[in-house]
Amino acid sequence: SQTIHQWPATLVQPVGSPLSLECTVEGTSNPNLYWYRQAAGRGLQLLFYSVGIGQISSEVPQNLSASRPQDRQFILSSKKLLLSDSGFYLCAWNTGQGQVNEQFFGPGTRLTVL
Amino acid sequence: GQQVMQIPQYQHVQEGEDFTTYCNSSTTLSNIQWYKQRPGGHPVFLIQLVKSGEVKKQKRLTFQFGEAKKNSSLHITATQTTDVGTYFCAGRGGSNYKLTFGKGTLLTVNP
């Protein structure tokens, strides 16, 4: 069966520090991968998605970047965090195939920027 | 770009009362999905609707997709405390890869 991992689960970082969040998927190959951010009490904002290794589509201009160095690994990064980067970061995957193409979410990383 | 509006933002009910959340898209959708996020958890897929006018049921949950494929609703009959959480609709439009999520409806149930 497929599983999705995210780490760390929680993170407290000072303003101006770098960020690296990692997401890995097991049990499938060539998944579509997604990074979402959820501000407190708000909806899901799509940040990046990737349909293959090295292929990144950015949805919202910001000081974040994403990379996909391996088929089942998706990394979210920042060189200098802002206060507004605080939130709940969710990684998700789907197959891009089949009639019902739901997204499967990881457990998320709760980031607080102080 | 595509926008998906969802109302209400919050709904508090007494256990046993019904609950409905509504979703409207600015553009015609190829399909719409519904997710539930328990407090402190991550979104979990509930169902997908594809056909115009489609109605699907899962026990006490009834999902509808509008005739014009621009709106949808989720109705819960006789809510229980286990129904607590945020319900999101997510529409798929022109892109086969992206879902546009509504802001969600937070349901709280008073036992």
Side-chain angles (χ1 to χ4, degrees), chain A residues 80-107:
Chain A
K80 288 186 178 181
L81 284 168
L82 307 173
L83 286 174
S84 58
D85 291 324
S86 292
F88 190 38
Y89 287 82
L90 290 156
C91 181
W93 74 273
N94 66 7
T95 64
Q97 300 169 7
Q99 288 189 329
V100 182
N101 192 10
E102 70 266 38
Q103 292 188 4
F104 299 92
F105 286 83

Side-chain angles (χ1 to χ4, degrees), chain B residues 76-87:
Chain B
I76 302 178
T77 304
T79 54
Q80 300 175 358
T81 55
T82 53
D83 295 325
V84 165
T86 300
Y87 292 85

Side-chain angles (χ1 to χ4, degrees), chain A residues 2-113:
Chain A
Q2 302 89 3
T3 54
I4 178 169
H5 303 279
Q6 278 187 254
W7 62 91
T10 59
L11 191 59
V12 180
Q13 292 284 99
V15 169
S17 64
L19 174 73
S20 181
L21 302 181
E22 189 163 345
C23 171
T24 59
V25 180
E26 295 178 356
T28 188
S29 59
N30 197 30
N32 298 324
L33 296 171
Y34 305 84
W35 277 113
Y36 291 89
R37 177 169 59 203
Q38 185 175 32
R42 303 292 296 277
L44 296 167
Q45 180 186 35
L46 179 63
L47 302 175
F48 302 94
Y49 69 94
S50 171
V51 300
I53 296 175
Q55 300 179 60
I56 308 294
S57 296
S58 174
E59 289 298 296
V60 182
Q62 59 216 322
N63 70 321
L64 298 171
S65 62
S67 62
R68 185 171 177 173
Q70 299 180 43
D71 182 43
R72 289 168 288 176
Q73 184 185 30
F74 205 22
I75 297 172
L76 183 69
S77 304
S78 173
K79 292 181 179 179
K80 288 186 178 181
L81 284 168
L82 307 173
L83 286 174
S84 58
D85 291 324
S86 292
F88 190 38
Y89 287 82
L90 290 156
C91 181
W93 74 273
N94 66 7
T95 64
Q97 300 169 7
Q99 288 189 329
V100 182
N101 192 10
E102 70 266 38
Q103 292 188 4
F104 299 92
F105 286 83
T109 295
R110 217 163 282 281
L111 172 65
T112 303
V113 183

Side-chain angles (χ1 to χ4, degrees), chain B residues 17-94:
Chain B
E17 292 181 339
D18 293 355
F19 159 77
T20 305
T21 174
Y22 301 91
C23 190
N24 284 284
S25 170
S26 58
T27 58
T28 302
L29 301 171
S30 58
N31 61 60
I32 193 160
Q33 298 178 356
W34 286 90
Y35 292 78
K36 176 183 179 181
Q37 183 178 24
R38 294 184 185 275
H42 57 275
V44 174
F45 174 79
L46 293 176
I47 207 160
Q48 175 174 288
L49 304 171
V50 178
K51 299 176 183 177
S52 170
E54 187 170 14
V55 178
K56 287 189 176 181
K57 293 190 176 185
Q58 289 180 349
K59 298 182 180 179
R60 295 177 293 105
L61 278 61
T62 302
F63 304 84
Q64 292 187 322
F65 201 10
E67 294 290 341
K69 301 183 73 173
K70 293 181 73 173
N71 61 352
S72 182
S73 65
L74 158 60
H75 180 82
I76 302 178
T77 304
T79 54
Q80 300 175 358
T81 55
T82 53
D83 295 325
V84 165
T86 300
Y87 292 85
F88 293 97
C89 61
R92 178 170 280 117

